[in-house]
Amino acid sequence: MKILVVGGGGREHALCWKIRKSPLVKQLYCAPGNAGIAQEAELVDIGAEDIPALIDFVIEKAINLVVVGPEAPLVAGLGDRLRAIGISVFGPNSDAAQVEASKAFTKELCDRANIPTARYGKFSDPDSAKAFLDELSPPYVLKADGLAAGKGVVIPETRDEAEAEIDDMMSGKFGEAGKTLVIEEFLKGEEASFFALCDGKNAMPMIAAQDHKRIFDGDKGPNTGGMGAYSPTPIAGYSIIRQTMIEIIMPAIKTLADEGMPYSGVLFAGLMISEDGPKLIEFNARFGDPECQIMMMRLLSDIVPYLKACADSELALMPPMSWHGSAAVTVVMAANGYPGNYDKGTEIRNVEKADELDRVTVFHAGTKRGPDGQLLANGGRVLNVTASGNTYSEAISRAYEAVDTIDWPEGFCRRDIGWRALKTSS
Ligand code: AMP
């Protein structure tokens, strides 16, 4: 089989690493990829959002399956275009990808499918948005409706701050994405990410993971794309996963199919595990990054038949996936200054040495090769140092041993990834 993976981050490195292990794969390409992906796949110099060039490439190389990593090309219609020319694609069409592209779309889907989620209102004028605050108690959850690179959610503690924030958001703080606001009740509990494979009609549970969104140790400071993750999750055991499949994933898939927007690909449910069970915070139309890195490390099954079965509506024919029972953790190494301004082009040494450590894999996110073959940082989140172990503490020590092997003075990481799991298991 000839496969093209679209994207160039840590998530796509982990996908390529896992896909490469499949005996079914004859040729693996990745567009645009990164320096780490170059060890697994042939890199193609086409941007993940350059849909016409991707289509031409797929036709020219007679690709059998396209696996789309990030959400932007899905929202822009890459899935639609590929399906229209008969190519198998892992990832939803643009209509179903609205689960990620529009917060209001997902909240309205929750209403129609009776999915447990926070009470909400949708507003396009500041006065009615402010009036809705009377119905809630602080803190208030304000969300820009559209895609805002993971930054469009603000949680003010007081009414005054919330009103000021409504004015800022509606007057363009997040551009067009914030012109419509979703305001939600604040949910209490612990967050988890859950993933299910979907083929338009059926869904198969994968596993849950927990990530660390904040930049600093102790889960403090601004939100980021994710500074680390671990799995399994003590908070989301079998009964929570079962309840999530029954109350959240299956109703969403069925409603989308009934309404002519069949969802195919991976459905990522951001959950709040509350005292009354799981509630949906958001859906995403793709694997989590960095959750995908630990999922690929824990996945025992060959992933390729599952990706193809999702694309070809044959998931019902597949046995459940099998997973390592061991713990996996990933620590994100980022460029100093991230999530604010940071330098690109700084040299990173000893990644190969770290990668050789027992049960460690270093996935690359923003990296590239310099003129002499040296490894250079090329983004905010740069490396995902991923390790497994029989216990959380074993996996975590391995990951930090690898982090300490890497010589990159211009980078940093959190030192407490997995603290919650350690606390629960000790
Ligand atoms: P979202 O982009 O919708 O996932 O929101 C980003 C983050 O904001 C989530 O991961 C939560 O930490 C927080 N959040 C979003 N909605 C709520 C809510 N209704 N109650 C509490 N926290 C929330």
Side-chain angles (χ1 to χ4, degrees):
M1 203 184 297
K2 289 193 214 165
I3 299 182
L4 168 68
V5 172
V6 175
R11 169 183 47 212
E12 290 76 26
H13 189 182
L15 287 169
C16 287
W17 174 83
K18 186 67 190 164
I19 291 170
R20 180 82 265 173
K21 294 181 191 301
S22 170
L24 300 171
V25 178
K26 200 168 105 207
Q27 182 77 42
L28 178 61
Y29 299 96
C30 184
N34 62 33
I37 296 174
Q39 292 154 19
E40 311 289 346
E42 189 175 317
L43 299 192
V44 184
D45 189 18
I46 301 176
E49 289 169 53
D50 188 348
I51 293 180
L54 289 169
I55 301 284
D56 287 347
F57 179 81
V58 164
I59 294 170
E60 182 200 320
K61 297 289 182 189
I63 299 292
N64 307 103
L65 173 67
V66 179
V67 180
V68 187
E71 66 281 12
L74 294 168
V75 172
L78 179 58
D80 312 51
R81 292 281 304 276
L82 289 166
R83 285 190 179 90
I85 55 168
I87 305 290
S88 294
V89 49
F90 181 82
N93 274 358
S94 56
D95 51 5
Q98 287 181 87
V99 294
E100 173 151 11
S102 164
K103 305 263 184 213
F105 178 89
T106 292
K107 297 303 281 190
E108 287 158 7
L109 172 66
C110 289
D111 289 343
R112 297 195 301 279
N114 203 18
I115 292 172
T117 187
R119 202 154 63 85
Y120 78 103
K122 173 183 149 188
F123 305 96
S124 44
D125 80 279
D127 291 339
S128 40
K130 288 174 193 172
F132 183 66
L133 298 178
D134 290 337
E135 296 182 30
L136 304 172
S137 39
Y140 304 96
V141 181
L142 312 180
K143 299 186 175 183
D145 176 48
L147 286 178
K151 299 188 182 110
V153 177
V154 184
I155 307 190
E157 294 288 337
T158 67
R159 172 81 186 227
D160 285 350
E161 282 165 19
E163 295 207 0
E165 195 59 55
I166 288 173
D167 287 330
D168 285 355
M169 286 171 90
M170 287 193 150
S171 50
K173 179 176 173 184
F174 297 115
E176 282 304 306
K179 292 280 158 71
T180 301
L181 279 192
V182 169
I183 302 183
E184 288 183 11
E185 152 199 28
F186 182 82
L187 296 174
K188 292 199 186 75
E190 204 177 304
E191 281 181 63
S193 307
F194 175 70
F195 301 85
L197 291 177
C198 307
D199 73 353
K201 299 187 292 280
N202 296 299
M204 177 183 285
M206 297 184 84
I207 52 172
Q210 279 181 288
D211 73 339
H212 293 271
K213 288 200 177 62
R214 307 288 187 130
I215 187 75
F216 299 129
D217 284 14
D219 294 320
K220 303 228 161 54
N223 266 343
T224 67
M227 294 304 290
Y230 55 94
S231 176
T233 51
I235 185 80
Y238 285 118
S239 73
I240 292 287
I241 288 183
R242 180 174 174 277
Q243 206 178 344
T244 305
M245 285 302 291
I246 293 172
E247 295 179 7
I248 297 178
I249 303 290
M250 294 311 298
I253 295 302
K254 181 168 185 327
T255 305
L256 288 169
D258 289 349
E259 294 175 355
M261 296 177 274
Y263 188 95
S264 164
V266 60
L267 186 58
F268 166 173
L271 303 175
M272 187 67 84
I273 314 295
S274 71
E275 280 177 359
D276 334 313
K279 293 193 175 172
L280 184 74
I281 297 178
E282 62 165 357
F283 278 134
N284 292 309
R286 50 167 172 92
F287 281 110
D289 187 349
E291 291 96 327
C292 184
Q293 289 77 317
I294 45 179
M295 293 173 76
M296 293 306 113
M297 193 167 252
R298 287 195 56 211
L299 181 58
L300 274 167
S301 311
D302 180 348
I303 195 171
V304 171
Y306 289 90
L307 299 173
K308 189 85 168 80
C310 288
D312 298 347
S313 297
E314 290 178 349
L315 208 48
L317 306 178
M318 298 295 293
M321 301 182 106
S322 40
W323 302 89
H324 282 288
S326 52
V329 54
T330 188
V331 177
V332 172
M333 296 184 77
N336 289 342
Y338 174 82
N341 295 332
Y342 53 81
D343 289 333
K344 286 186 180 177
T346 54
E347 187 171 351
I348 311 166
R349 296 181 194 84
N350 290 348
V351 171
E352 292 77 8
K353 222 164 130 190
D355 207 38
E356 280 164 13
L357 293 171
D358 187 31
R359 296 177 76 172
V360 168
T361 300
V362 182
F363 293 116
H364 292 221
T367 65
K368 66 172 188 186
R369 292 282 166 197
D372 304 320
Q374 71 276 44
L375 187 66
L376 303 177
N378 192 35
R381 293 189 300 163
V382 173
L383 296 171
N384 308 139
V385 182
T386 310
S388 66
N390 295 336
T391 60
Y392 290 113
S393 91
E394 209 181 292
I396 290 167
S397 340
R398 280 204 179 98
Y400 281 110
E401 188 191 340
V403 163
D404 293 335
T405 304
I406 293 170
D407 175 14
W408 183 32
E410 295 84 4
F412 74 103
C413 67
R414 276 181 59 163
R415 301 295 313 191
D416 66 341
I417 298 305
W419 67 266
R420 231 186 239 107
L422 271 184
K423 209 165 108 189
T424 322
S425 61
S426 59

